[in-house]
Amino acid sequence: MFKWFTKDSVEKDIFSPDGRSKCHFTLKSGSIYYTVSKNDKTLISTSALGFQIFGEAPLGDNLKLIRERTSRHTETIEMPWGEDRFINNNYTESAFYLSETKEPHRIFTLRFRVFDNAVAFRYEIPPQPKFQQISIKDELTEFNVDPNSTAWQIPAYQPDRYEYNYEKSAVHNLTHSVHTPLTLKTPSGYYLAIHEAALYNYGSMTIKLDSKFCLKTDITPLSDGSKAHVVLPFDTPWRLVMLADSAIELTTNRTMFALNDPPSQDFSWVSTLKFIGIWWAMYVGEWTWAPGERHGATTEHAKEYIDAAVRLGISGLLIEGWNEGWEGDWLENGINNKFTVSTPDFDLEEVANYAYRNHIELVGHHETVGFIDNYEKQLEAAYNYYATNHVHYIKTGYAGSMMLINGRREYHHSQLGVNHYQKTVELAAKKHICLDIHEPIKGTGIERTWPNLLSREGARGQEYEGGAISPSHACMLPYTRLLAGGMDYTSGIFDLENSVKRMSTTLARQLAYFVTIYSGMQMAADRPFMYEDRFPDEFEFIKQVPTNFEKTIPLAGEIGEYYVVARKDRDSEDWYIGGVTNEEGRRIHLNLNFLSTGSYAAHIYSDAENAHFRDNQFAIVKSNKHISRNEALDLYMAPGGGLAVRLEKQS
Ligand code: NOJ
C-alpha cells in the first residue's frame, strides 16, 4: 500500500501479521501520537512523540503527512550463535513521512513495525537545507502505560551503573529514572518490556515518570547537558515495546535482534567459548590482581591453569591482572593502565605460545576503569598485541562510576560512552577478536550485526555474592536484564562456604545458571581444584553444557520467583534444563513433550529435600535414568536452590 497525500489530521491502524497486536498512529492538530493494544486491550494509551532541539523549534509540532507507506515483511533470521538459531522477523511496517507546515518546513519519517509480540518505531531525520546537524535537548517519546502497572526496575545514573537489585513497584510510585529493559505487568494481566534496539551514536534511553504519571524517555545526557550531537541523516534507535501474555513468554522475545541489521562482513571466524580464569582466586583473597607475593597472573600460574583447562576439557582461559597498572588503589589509578606492557612476572608471549600449543584460547583482559582517553590512545596497539599473540577473545572492563572521555566525566550510557563501546567492537571485528564487555553499555541487539560481541555483564554478577545478592536476583534476570541479550554471570562457583564471598545458592543452582543465564562467552568461574578434586561429577554438567543453542523453551516461572527453561544444543540432539528459585523451595513438574521421539539418558542434579542456600548448600541429589517425551520429571528446588538436567539423546 503506497499513499500520497497532504493531511494535517490522520488516523491509522497498523496490525501485526496475526492481527492481535495493533499500533494506532494519530496526527492531530499538527502533533503526532501512538497507542498500542493487544486483543483490543489498550496497553499504551495516547503517547506523544517528538524532540526538543537546541537552537531550533521543537520537532514534532505543526506537522502534516506528506506520504505514507505500509508493507508486510516475512523473514526467518538465522543467528550464528545464541539462544535460538532462528528468529522470526515478521511485521507490518508503516512509514509516515512528515513535514512541518511552517518555516523551516523540516521533514522526518516516523517508521513503525508491528510484530505479533512487539511494537517498535524510530525517527529518521534526513539532512536538509539549514538542518544538517543537531544537538538534541530532549526526546519527547512517551510510553503511557497504566500507572497502576507493576514495574521491575533498576535505577539509572547510579555509581554502579546497571549493577543493582531489581525492585518491584507500582509505576505511579517510580521516583527516579530507570534503565531499560523496563519490565511491566499491566492491571489487565499483560506483560510488557520497554526497551530499545540498535543503539548507536545516541544516549541510552532511560525512562522516568513525569508529573502526569506518564512514562517518558529520559535520554542519558552528556556532560554539556545535551542528549546527543548528531550529523544528519540520523535514525534514532528503535523504541521497542515487547508484548506477552505471560512472564515466561516475555523471556524469549527476540524482536530486539530482528530490529538490528544483518552483518555486513564475514564473521564465520566467531565462535562461542567456555573458559576458566585466573579470577575467583582474587575475589576470595588467595591471589591479587596487583603484582606482589600473591600475584595471580604469573607465567607459572597461567601455565598451570592452561594444563588444568586441558584436563577439564574447557577451551579457554581468562587471565586478569597481567598488565601494568594494578598497583595500589586500581580504581583510582586506572589512568596508569598499560595494555601492551605486562608485569615482570608474566610473559605474555610465552603464555600465549603455551596456550596455543595446548589448543587453549586465551581470554585477554583490559580493565580500563573508565579511563577512555587512556584506553583509546592504546586501543589499536593493544588489540594488535593480543592478535599477534593468538588471543582471539578479550574481556574488557569499565569499573568506576563514570568514564573519562575527552577530559570530561561522562556516563557509561551516554552518547560518548555508546560510541566508545562501538569503537571497540568494530576494531575487535577487524582484528578477528571477540569481546565480553563488563560494565558495558546495555545490550540492544547489535550482536546481530557484530556477532564478535559475544557477551556482556551489565547487571549484578556473582562477584556481588557475599551479601549483596539474594536468591531472587537470578530469578529476576531472565525477565529483565536478559531481555537485552546474554550475560556473563561468572557461574559455576562451587566454593559456596568460603568466608570472603559466601554464596546465597546451592550447588545444584550453580549448574542451573549455565542454562538459565545464557552467555556466548560462558565462564566456569571457580578455581580448577574445585572442579577436579572436590566436585568432578557436578563439573561434568558444566563440561557438557553448550554455549550455543538451537532452541530455547521457557517451561515455567514468575518474575523474581522462579524460572525453568529447556534449551537444545545446536550441535546435537541433546537438551539441557535449568531452573532456579527464590527463597522459597518448590516442586516442579516438567512435561518433556518438547523432546523428539526416542530415548534420552537424563543426568539429573537437583537439591536434596534438606538443602538450603543458607546452611545446607551442598546437599545435592544426582541421578541418572532413561526417559522419553511421554514422561515427566518431578524435581525439587530448595530455598535459594535450583536444578540442572542433561538429556542425552540415545541413538
Ligand atoms: C569488574 C568485573 O565485573 C570483574 O569481572 C573484574 O574481575 C573486575 N572488574 C576487575 O577488572
Side-chain angles (χ1 to χ4, degrees), residues 125-146:
I125 313 174
Q128 39 210 298
K130 293 194 247 150
F131 200 48
Q132 301 281 331
Q133 55 189 58
I134 54 177
S135 295
I136 293 175
K137 192 172 174 190
D138 204 4
E139 183 183 320
L140 306 173
T141 307
E142 293 176 346
F143 301 93
N144 197 359
V145 301
D146 187 324

Side-chain angles (χ1 to χ4, degrees), residues 346-408:
F346 185 81
D347 186 331
L348 179 69
E349 280 166 41
E350 191 180 331
V351 171
N353 284 329
Y354 192 72
Y356 185 71
R357 285 204 303 278
N358 283 285
H359 308 290
I360 295 297
E361 292 283 355
L362 282 192
V363 180
H365 186 233
H366 288 163
E367 175 52 76
T368 70
V369 204
F371 287 92
I372 305 307
D373 296 337
N374 178 48
Y375 187 42
E376 287 202 356
K377 262 190 262 159
Q378 304 179 54
L379 205 58
E380 180 93 29
Y383 283 27
N384 281 341
Y385 186 47
Y386 271 147
T388 52
N389 280 298
H390 324 290
V391 179
H392 308 119
Y393 297 83
I394 305 178
K395 170 178 170 180
T396 55
Y398 297 85
S401 57
M402 300 288 278
M403 290 181 151
L404 197 70
I405 308 182
N406 302 331
R408 302 175 72 143

Side-chain angles (χ1 to χ4, degrees), residues 242-298:
M242 305 178 213
L243 310 171
D245 296 329
S246 68
I248 57 163
E249 187 193 324
L250 202 54
T251 63
T252 46
N253 193 310
R254 312 276 182 233
T255 316
M256 176 186 78
F257 294 110
L259 289 164
N260 277 271
D261 290 336
S264 58
Q265 60 194 77
D266 173 41
F267 282 99
S268 55
W269 48 271
V270 168
S271 80
T272 60
L273 184 76
K274 204 183 294 162
F275 60 104
I276 56 170
I278 295 191
W279 187 76
W280 190 244
M282 275 88 101
Y283 275 92
V284 292
E286 281 167 13
W287 288 348
T288 59
W289 278 276
E293 264 180 22
R294 288 184 295 120
H295 189 206
T298 65

Side-chain angles (χ1 to χ4, degrees), residues 391-641:
V391 179
H392 308 119
Y393 297 83
I394 305 178
K395 170 178 170 180
T396 55
Y398 297 85
S401 57
M402 300 288 278
M403 290 181 151
L404 197 70
I405 308 182
N406 302 331
R408 302 175 72 143
R409 283 163 62 78
E410 306 285 355
Y411 287 110
H412 289 60
H413 42 293
S414 65
Q415 181 190 24
L416 287 173
V418 168
N419 289 351
H420 166 72
Y421 291 110
Q422 188 58 26
K423 190 183 265 184
T424 67
V425 172
E426 293 184 20
L427 183 64
K430 229 192 244 171
K431 312 280 176 197
H432 286 202
I433 287 173
C434 297
L435 293 182
D436 170 6
I437 307 179
H438 280 227
E439 299 82 30
I441 182 65
K442 70 186 178 190
T444 58
I446 67 161
E447 302 86 311
R448 179 170 181 223
T449 317
W450 302 98
N452 63 313
L453 175 47
L454 280 176
S455 193
R456 296 183 168 82
E457 190 188 36
R460 276 195 180 182
Q462 293 222 92
E463 64 190 2
Y464 277 85
E465 283 285 3
I469 293 195
S470 73
S472 63
H473 181 61
C475 304
M476 286 283 183
L477 294 175
Y479 308 94
T480 53
R481 157 66 183 83
L482 299 181
L483 302 180
M487 175 185 178
D488 180 6
Y489 192 61
T490 57
S491 304
I493 303 292
F494 286 176
D495 183 12
L496 303 175
E497 290 175 322
N498 79 83
S499 54
V500 189
K501 290 258 176 205
R502 196 190 161 97
M503 318 289 291
S504 293
T505 86
T506 64
L507 189 57
R509 181 185 177 99
Q510 288 293 326
L511 306 183
Y513 288 155
F514 286 84
V515 191
T516 62
I517 303 178
Y518 177 72
S519 182
M521 280 175 72
Q522 189 66 272
M523 188 175 187
D526 212 329
R527 293 141 300 166
F529 76 88
M530 275 288 167
Y531 299 144
E532 292 188 282
D533 306 337
R534 294 280 311 276
F535 300 104
D537 286 356
E538 287 75 6
F539 179 74
E540 187 59 25
F541 183 84
I542 297 183
K543 182 178 167 182
Q544 297 296 343
V545 67
T547 48
N548 193 10
F549 292 100
E550 176 76 17
K551 195 177 172 53
T552 290
I553 303 180
L555 299 176
E558 285 300 337
I559 304 177
E561 295 177 19
Y562 68 111
Y563 176 62
V564 187
V565 63
R567 304 192 198 259
K568 184 184 170 292
D569 182 14
R570 204 172 279 204
D571 298 324
S572 75
E573 290 305 307
D574 299 350
W575 283 80
Y576 292 78
I577 301 175
V580 288
T581 180
N582 60 3
E583 288 80 353
E584 265 179 52
R586 53 190 97 224
R587 289 181 202 286
I588 300 287
H589 178 78
L590 295 175
N591 280 321
L592 300 178
N593 49 15
F594 54 86
L595 297 176
S596 54
T597 50
S599 174
Y600 288 78
H603 309 279
I604 304 166
Y605 305 80
S606 63
D607 294 319
E609 290 287 328
N610 60 350
H612 198 288
F613 74 95
R614 272 201 204 96
D615 52 19
N616 201 13
Q617 298 164 285
F618 295 102
I620 192 167
V621 180
K622 292 172 269 182
S623 59
N624 294 302
K625 65 175 172 183
H626 280 84
I627 201 158
S628 76
R629 70 189 304 274
N630 303 322
E631 292 166 84
L633 282 174
D634 287 291
L635 298 173
Y636 176 63
M637 297 195 283

